[in-house]
Amino acid sequence: RRSDSRTDSQLLNMPQMDSAKSVDIEALKAQIDAEIAARLAVEADFENHIHRRGFSIGDLKLLVKMDAASEVVEMPKLFRLPGAPAGVKGLANRYGRVVPVVDLPSIFGFQHERAAAEWLLVCGRGEDAVGIIIDSLPERKKFTQDDEVSLSQVAHPITVYARAAYLEWQDTWIDIDP
C-alpha cells in the first residue's frame, strides 16, 4: 500500500524534469574523482611528514606529538605545593582534575625573559597530565626526515628527554616526551 495520498494518475501527470536541469552524471563523477584524489594527496602528504605541535619558551623551540597536548589555556591560578622541587610551580585545577605545572627553565637551568602573556600547555590526560608554562601559543609544525638533525649536535640539557630534533630555517626544534 502506498503511504502518500496521490493517485497513479496524479503521479503520471507530474511534470518531468527538464533535460537542461538534469544532473550531468559525468561531471558529477569527475568532481567526486577530483575530491578523492585531493584527499589521497593530503593523506600521502601526512604520511610523508612528521607532524608536531611547536611552542617556545624563550629562545627554546620545543615540539610534542599532536595527540600529546590536550589543551592550551591562559595561565590559571596556581596552588603552591610545599616541598616540591624548584621547577614545579604548583598545581592547577583543570575541570576538577589536579595537574602539576612545571617551569622548564627552572628545571634545566636556562635563563629566559618571561613573556608578557604566559600560557599553560597541558600534555597528557588523567593522572599522566602535566602542565608546561609556555611563551607562545602552539602551532602545527611539519618536518621531513631530511630536516632531522642529530641530538648530539644540539647543545641543550633538555635533549636528555628528546626523541629527535629538526631544523627549520635557522631554528632547531627539539621533540620532547612530556
Side-chain angles (χ1 to χ4, degrees), residues 86-99:
V88 177
K89 290 301 178 190
L91 302 173
N93 180 351
R94 301 306 309 145
Y95 310 106
R97 184 180 73 196
V98 176
V99 176

Side-chain angles (χ1 to χ4, degrees), residues 20-62:
K21 293 181 183 176
S22 66
V23 176
D24 183 355
I25 299 295
E26 291 304 316
L28 186 57
K29 285 173 61 178
Q31 181 181 358
I32 291 170
D33 288 345
E35 288 177 11
I36 290 171
R39 287 182 188 162
L40 290 173
V42 167
E43 288 176 15
D45 178 64
F46 192 83
E47 292 297 320
N48 291 328
H49 290 88
I50 298 132
H51 296 266
R52 298 287 187 264
R53 281 195 205 286
F55 57 93
S56 64
I57 302 172
D59 292 335
L60 182 63
K61 309 285 188 207
L62 297 174

Side-chain angles (χ1 to χ4, degrees), residues 130-150:
V130 64
I132 301 172
I133 300 171
I134 62 175
D135 295 342
S136 68
L137 287 172
E139 57 186 272
R140 186 181 195 121
K141 293 292 189 181
K142 180 168 78 169
F143 302 98
T144 66
Q145 290 296 335
D146 294 338
D147 297 326
E148 190 169 357
V149 295
S150 171

Side-chain angles (χ1 to χ4, degrees), residues 60-80:
L60 182 63
K61 309 285 188 207
L62 297 174
L63 302 166
V64 294
K65 286 185 174 183
M66 294 296 287
D67 61 352
S70 59
E71 72 174 323
V72 178
V73 295
E74 286 185 67
M75 186 56 66
K77 180 179 179 182
L78 298 181
F79 298 92
R80 201 168 157 271

